[in-house]
Amino acid sequence: MAAIDFSPAVPESDGAFHDGLLLAVKSDGEKVFYNSQGKEAFTLPEGVEPLSDFYGQRALVKDVKTNLVGYINTKGALAVPCLYETGATYSEGIASVSLPGSEEKLVIDRFGRVVSKFKKVYSSDYIFNGGLALVYNQDGGIGFIDTSGTLVVPSSTIMGAYTVKDWWLCGMTRGNTDT
């Protein structure tokens, strides 16, 4: 087995293999994906720079000329064009993105088709687990939205939350609920 010429691509990567691929920075500064045999998995499309590990067989990338983001598949081909100002990693087959100059959040599938549009934008990384994503309100309260952007667990009922093996673990309070 050949040695891999790399260092972790911080903060883009946690240094682990995702969907069989490792995002790394070569000694010359180039960001690449390695396969489990220690070989470069593919050549990235011209003018595209990786921004994240693979999740759900998609990795966030940036067009270096426009600074817009899109997604590549595990073969290195552009699966979702670089049309978005921001993009989250895929979870449960969907990702949150925003169009340039817009506050609105869109949820897209793995092929870039719009699944839903959020009427209200929360402070969140929009990573879904069990159909819910953790969100924060202006007061720092924690709640959950579904994939349509609807607040389904109000923030006044949650004290803290995290995931363990695909389950949300929450500290709950009693009292009023907000909607």
Side-chain angles (χ1 to χ4, degrees), residues 55-179:
Y55 294 96
Q57 300 180 350
R58 297 292 184 264
L60 186 65
V61 294
K62 174 177 76 171
D63 181 312
V64 295
K65 290 181 185 168
T66 65
N67 282 325
L68 297 177
V69 298
Y71 298 87
I72 58 171
N73 64 22
T74 55
K75 304 287 186 208
L78 206 55
V80 177
C82 294
L83 303 172
Y84 304 103
E85 189 170 327
T86 63
T89 57
Y90 273 82
S91 57
E92 297 186 352
I94 57 175
S96 168
V97 296
S98 64
L99 292 169
S102 173
E103 298 273 329
E104 184 178 52
K105 285 286 185 186
L106 306 176
V107 174
I108 59 172
D109 69 12
R110 293 181 48 232
F111 304 99
R113 296 179 295 232
V114 175
V115 173
S116 63
K117 295 179 182 182
F118 291 177
K119 292 180 176 84
K120 182 174 180 181
V121 177
Y122 294 93
S123 177
S124 176
D125 60 7
Y126 296 101
I127 302 299
F128 290 90
N129 186 346
L132 301 175
L134 185 78
V135 295
Y136 298 91
N137 66 21
Q138 291 92 349
D139 300 329
I142 299 169
F144 290 93
I145 59 169
D146 64 16
T147 58
S148 72
T150 302
L151 185 66
V152 294
V153 179
S155 60
S156 63
T157 61
I158 308 290
M159 292 172 39
Y162 59 94
T163 59
V164 175
K165 296 189 183 227
D166 296 330
W167 288 83
W168 284 109
L169 299 179
C170 302
M172 308 292 283
T173 64
R174 294 179 191 241
N176 296 335
T177 61
D178 58 37
T179 55

Side-chain angles (χ1 to χ4, degrees), residues 46-60:
E46 184 70 31
V48 168
E49 177 183 309
L51 297 177
S52 78
D53 287 311
F54 276 90
Y55 294 96
Q57 300 180 350
R58 297 292 184 264
L60 186 65

